[in-house]
Amino acid sequence: MLWVLIALQWLHILAGIFWFGSALTVHIIAFPAFRKFPPETRRAIIEAFAARYGRLVGAVAGLTILLGILRGLVGGVQNVLTSPYGLTWLAAIILAVAIAAFEGARLSPAVGKLIAAGESEQILALDERLALYGKIELSGFLVLFSLMIAMRFGY
Ligand code: HEM
């Protein structure tokens, strides 16, 4: 059982750092860098970027959540669901599903609209909205990451 736990933790952390780390890179490095280009070039770069990243991120988010649930269950969280540890685990599931839903229902449609936009003003407005969505998403990730650290110390 210990080896299953270790394997799940290994896979969970790998998926989790990919999901959170790529969101940090996208919103703090990639998109701000794209803003140095004129709107039409920006649109084309974002189209190429999204074709690759958009396909991957959904799978990585799903894997992180699934592996986090399994890691908890194999660790026996179902027996202590009302303890601080159990409640943190439940909160992590709810928050992670909310972040994934925000990506699917807000972020990704905004990227789709930006790619389809014909006019510069529209591209600029959607890009501004993406910057706001990025801040919201990263705030959620910071809380989720703090929950991971809390569980490590028994909360
Ligand atoms: C952005 C998403 C996530 C990241 C970056 C992440 C990262 C991590 C890291 C780094 C650890 C190891 C903590 C340590 O041992 O010091 C961990 C542990 C864990 N994670 Fe996550 N995680 C994420 C999402 C989730 C979700 C959605 C769940 C679902 C419940 C979850 C459940 C767990 C559990 C149960 C542990 C083991 C805690 C323990 O008993 O030590 N994680 N995670």
Side-chain angles (χ1 to χ4, degrees):
M1 218 48 169
L2 180 65
W3 284 104
V4 178
L5 206 59
I6 291 171
L8 283 173
Q9 181 117 349
W10 193 92
L11 287 166
H12 169 66
I13 295 176
L14 183 61
I17 59 170
F18 193 159
W19 188 24
F20 183 23
S22 64
L24 284 167
T25 309
V26 164
H27 297 302
I28 295 178
I29 297 172
F31 274 74
F34 299 163
R35 288 187 187 111
K36 302 262 180 271
F37 294 97
E40 178 45 38
T41 315
R42 216 190 285 186
R43 197 203 61 74
I45 296 173
I46 291 174
E47 184 172 21
F49 185 86
R52 219 174 147 68
Y53 185 62
R55 245 181 294 142
L56 255 178
V57 70
V60 172
L63 265 178
T64 304
I65 297 171
L66 180 67
L67 288 161
I69 291 173
L70 289 175
R71 163 65 183 85
L73 292 176
V74 172
V77 69
Q78 64 279 16
N79 304 318
V80 291
L81 270 187
T82 52
S83 69
Y85 184 89
L87 293 173
T88 305
W89 181 75
L90 289 172
I93 298 175
I94 293 167
L95 182 55
V97 169
I99 294 173
F102 182 75
E103 285 180 342
R106 294 268 178 247
L107 252 169
S108 138
V111 172
K113 274 190 212 155
L114 190 150
I115 290 168
E119 291 172 14
S120 297
E121 297 81 56
Q122 219 181 342
I123 296 173
L124 292 173
L126 284 160
D127 204 10
E128 241 172 70
R129 194 186 304 173
L130 281 180
L132 170 69
Y133 286 170
K135 285 191 188 109
I136 296 172
E137 189 188 31
L138 290 184
S139 309
F141 269 127
L142 275 180
V143 176
L144 183 55
F145 185 64
S146 306
L147 297 182
M148 297 303 116
I149 304 302
M151 279 192 287
R152 169 68 175 77
F153 291 98
Y155 298 100

